[in-house]
Amino acid sequence: MAKTSSATPGTGSSAYLNALTLEIEKKLQRALASPTQRRNLLQELFADIALEVDDRARGIIFSREEDAISPVDANAEGQLCFFNLLADYYVWVPESGKQILHLILQLWSQSFASHIFSLLFHKWLFEAQLNNTEELLRFSSALVQGATNVFWIDIQTNTRRFQFLFQYLLDEVALAPLRLNKIPVQAQRELFLLLSRFTLFYNSVDKHESFLKQFPVFQNAFFIGGPADFFVIELADQLQKLKVEPVLLHYLSHIKVLQGMELRMSTSTRLKACLYNFTSPGGPMYPTRAVRHAAWDSLDFLFPVGQYPRHLISLFFRLLYPWCWPSSCWSFIISCIKAVFYSLLRLLFSSWDKLREPKKY
């Protein structure tokens, strides 16, 4: 996670970021003036600010001038993109982002407008002094919508390009009541539901206990349950939407962190049904063999009671589909051959080690 400095950026980096700001303004003005090309221009702008900072730009921004402090630590872990730098810059120099914000508001209903807003102004929203409740709700809803869209781009490509944004929303907003309370309660609820869906993907399961303690109160909590129930329901819904196999396997391998959570019976049943859908071939999920095995592992780990009857029932239903028998038999044979082969290797190496041991007289 990048560490942002509280000081202002140096002269060189300020000039470079100001030049980038002017280019963004020009592209937004072109989009505003050309309705037919608007979507393409906004998509290009989104792609530009999501690019990773290249070596030439790093040399300018992170130059060691006297009294110059770069916006983001040059040695920070993670993928450093242009939006990371610009988001900090618009906090330190709010006037620089006013024209961009004004142009985005005129393009508010267009595709990629919320994407761009969430990347450039996710920090500004929590640092600026906005007293208009309607405006706060509008901006915070756009932030959640835009963040949802860019996180899904990460999922579809199985990358972590926007992890900086997720970590900021989790660590600096959701777990920081002073910033969190700056946005309306409705926006807080939307934000927590969003973070619940992507916590496993961005490897933040170690913070789930602190995260659940900060969960806002929902109006339908009496019917749904506590924070853990909302978290698990969002996670189960997210699992059913995933189509990228490596991402799905990642979720299934990390979902075991839910063990021990106190859930309502309805929530527990919902999660169990969700995982069970991934254990059998065919519709509605059409999971691969790797996904089916991962789902069985997670299901048996989280719900050990009844695992043997579940497997027996699953086997019975598999027998109803004869066209699956050849592949299942072949997979079983390959698994047996691998097991025998590895057992022989272990036996061979253990025998070899015994032969090399010096004899004791």
Side-chain angles (χ1 to χ4, degrees):
M1 179 180 168
K3 296 178 181 178
T4 55
S5 171
S6 59
T8 55
T11 307
S13 58
S14 291
Y16 186 83
L17 294 173
N18 187 59
L20 288 180
T21 298
L22 293 176
E23 290 299 319
I24 294 173
E25 291 177 8
K26 289 178 182 177
K27 185 154 285 190
L28 287 172
Q29 288 168 351
R30 285 173 57 198
L32 198 59
S34 177
T36 57
Q37 296 295 319
R38 189 168 290 166
R39 188 183 188 282
N40 292 337
L41 290 169
L42 291 176
Q43 186 175 3
E44 289 175 8
L45 177 57
F46 167 70
D48 289 341
I49 63 176
L51 283 174
E52 187 176 3
V53 179
D54 55 26
D55 293 337
R56 184 183 66 83
R58 283 176 180 268
I60 298 172
I61 297 170
F62 299 118
S63 59
R64 300 301 180 186
E65 305 173 11
E66 184 179 357
D67 298 328
I69 302 176
S70 51
V72 182
D73 185 2
N75 299 316
E77 296 180 2
Q79 196 173 38
L80 181 64
C81 302
F82 284 104
F83 74 85
N84 300 124
L85 306 174
L86 291 166
D88 282 332
Y89 183 59
Y90 297 148
V91 171
W92 286 321
V93 191
E95 297 79 12
S96 298
K98 282 185 177 180
Q99 181 60 20
I100 291 178
L101 185 59
H102 177 69
L103 291 168
I104 289 177
L105 286 174
Q106 297 180 66
L107 298 164
W108 203 244
S109 61
Q110 302 299 315
S111 299
F112 295 100
S114 63
H115 300 54
I116 296 168
F117 174 82
S118 64
L119 294 184
L120 295 181
F121 295 102
H122 61 274
K123 293 186 178 180
W124 169 87
L125 179 60
F126 296 98
E127 302 298 336
Q129 299 299 323
L130 300 175
N131 298 319
N132 189 324
T133 305
E134 185 178 345
E135 192 176 55
L136 265 173
L137 181 59
R138 187 183 188 187
F139 286 150
S140 52
S141 297
L143 171 64
V144 173
Q145 181 60 49
T148 301
N149 294 333
V150 299
F151 293 160
W152 268 108
I153 291 174
D154 266 355
I155 280 188
Q156 297 298 336
T157 57
N158 192 24
T159 58
R160 304 293 190 281
R161 182 176 294 270
F162 302 109
Q163 181 152 359
F164 279 97
L165 173 59
F166 177 86
Q167 292 299 152
Y168 177 81
L169 294 177
L170 177 62
D171 297 335
E172 305 299 331
V173 179
L175 301 182
L178 289 178
R179 286 196 181 95
L180 181 63
N181 292 330
K182 287 188 175 183
I183 60 176
V185 176
Q186 179 182 340
Q188 294 179 28
R189 294 167 180 159
E190 293 175 355
L191 177 63
F192 271 77
L193 295 179
L194 165 66
L195 296 176
S196 298
R197 296 193 291 271
F198 294 93
T199 297
L200 297 189
F201 179 70
Y202 288 109
N203 302 312
S204 298
V205 292
D206 57 319
K207 300 173 183 175
H208 78 278
E209 291 184 3
S210 303
F211 176 68
L212 293 178
K213 289 178 181 178
Q214 298 293 334
F215 232 82
V217 177
F218 284 75
Q219 293 177 339
N220 58 344
F222 177 79
F223 302 100
I224 303 297
D229 292 282
F230 281 96
F231 180 81
V232 171
I233 288 171
E234 290 299 316
L235 194 53
D237 290 345
Q238 179 81 343
L239 276 173
Q240 296 180 78
K241 297 175 184 176
L242 297 176
K243 303 300 180 185
V244 182
E245 183 183 11
V247 175
L248 187 51
L249 290 172
H250 181 83
Y251 267 81
L252 290 172
S253 65
H254 287 77
I255 204 171
K256 296 176 182 178
V257 73
L258 302 181
Q259 187 187 43
M261 279 191 180
E262 294 185 6
L263 303 173
R264 285 194 176 183
M265 182 64 69
S266 58
T267 306
S268 180
T269 304
R270 188 170 184 166
L271 177 62
K272 191 186 300 185
C274 172
L275 292 174
Y276 193 76
N277 284 337
F278 288 105
T279 61
S280 51
M285 297 303 175
Y286 297 95
T288 62
R289 186 175 298 277
V291 170
R292 294 200 299 270
H293 288 187
W296 273 122
D297 289 342
S298 298
L299 186 61
D300 292 342
F301 183 83
L302 294 174
F303 304 100
V305 178
Q307 59 177 307
Y308 297 113
R310 280 198 303 265
H311 283 273
L312 188 61
I313 293 171
S314 175
L315 177 61
F316 172 75
F317 280 106
R318 290 292 295 275
L319 294 176
L320 298 178
Y321 300 94
W323 53 86
C324 294
W325 295 357
S327 61
S328 298
C329 292
W330 177 251
S331 176
F332 178 73
I333 292 170
I334 294 297
S335 300
C336 290
I337 292 173
K338 286 183 178 179
V340 171
F341 177 71
Y342 290 130
S343 297
L344 290 174
L345 280 181
R346 284 194 294 269
L347 181 62
L348 180 63
F349 283 117
S350 62
S351 302
W352 178 256
D353 290 337
K354 289 180 181 179
L355 289 173
R356 295 185 61 184
E357 289 180 359
K359 295 182 179 180
K360 296 181 181 179
Y361 298 98

